Amino acid sequence: MKVKGTDFRSIWLDDNSWSVNIIDQTFLPHEFVVRTLNNGQEAAEAISVMRVRGAPLIGATAAYGLALALREDSSDHGLRKTSEMLLATRPTAVNLRWALQYMNQSLLKLPVAQRTEQAYVLAAEICEEDVACNHAIGQHGLGLIRDLWQKRKAHTKNLHILTHCNAGWLATVDWGTALSPIYQAHNDGIPVHVWVDETRPRNQGAALTAWELASHGIAHDVIVDNAGGHLMQHGQVDMCITGTDRTARNGDVCNKIGTYLKALAAYDNGVPFYVALPGPTIDWLMVDGVAGIPIEERDSSEVTSVGGKNASGRVESVQITPDGVSARNFSFDVTPSRLVTGLITERGVCPASESGLTGLYPEHRSLAT
Ligand code: MRU
């Protein structure tokens, strides 16, 4: 996608053909900083402190992190050690496990001397596949938006879509998941307006989604996390689209904390609630998402402090709670499949259920695959 007229992806191979560039998302929206990763440890650090984040981009960064680490040690031991280090960075997004398994399966079969070159090839393939999936998700989602716009356009100037967290191009290699249909609807001439949940504690909506939408000239308003129910009750939300960090075999969807409450409000108000995801976000071994998906708990300082730009333009962090307060920071929640209108995947739209998912991905009908 474009930043000030220049095409960018969220991760790319440097001109030197071995180091890896990322957009350091901890600086957005105030500064656009490109950071170069030179080894596996730097890739792991970038994932755990959320310089890169979003399930698909975490997977892509881990894949390149493995390639970077293999330059130093491509033995079986080196491959396993780096994979374990990368896997430990964030527990919820399943794309991380998927990418590392995909790389390991193929690399362990190769002679040690061929592994590094092949790791770069596989990491590039993962990135290209992500871009293609997200474009296709956008096309399928566009169909839903177009149908809804046909029904609503006599009564409203804009089609209002609510989203939570950031599931835009910054969360993927390009296009995004939840935002891809919105970009494609905008490009198609549909007057979309986005309600952007701020998404405490790290404010990925206020900082990243708002920045992305502004860069592409899409109408939007940032709202506090608790406003969605009120807007839905008053007919001001036509549909919700979110991303997901892990979708279980039964169609339960895990996403940024607060998604579940939006789904409940949408259900109560008859607002369609869609979740957009590429195939690698489905955990085929997870039979019950609510019971089984591990929920990351991050440092409580993310709850007790807020970062932002002060009146003199300097970025700083301020404490908002009493000194010494106890706080807990649950990063994700799981929305049960019964609250999800449909899953938008690269293969089409399906009901949020095991039969819906295996209808689109018949190769996973058996639990063993
Ligand atoms: O903690 P984050 O910022 O990595 O969480 C990201 C989300 O919850 C996104 O909505 C999700 O990864 C889907 S992104 C395509």
Side-chain angles (χ1 to χ4, degrees), residues 50 52-58 90 93 134 164-168 171-172 176-178 202 204 208 242-245 254-257 259 276 278 281 296 298 331-332:
M50 296 175 66
V52 288
R53 25 69 50 205
L57 180 57
I58 290 171
R90 294 200 68 193
N134 298 331
H164 192 70
C165 195
N166 172 264
T172 65
T177 55
R202 289 189 65 110
Q204 289 96 326
L208 306 176
T242 73
T244 166
D245 294 82
C254 180
N255 193 47
K256 183 53 55 192
I257 192 79
T259 305
T281 303
E296 175 179 13
R298 294 183 65 82
S331 281
F332 298 94

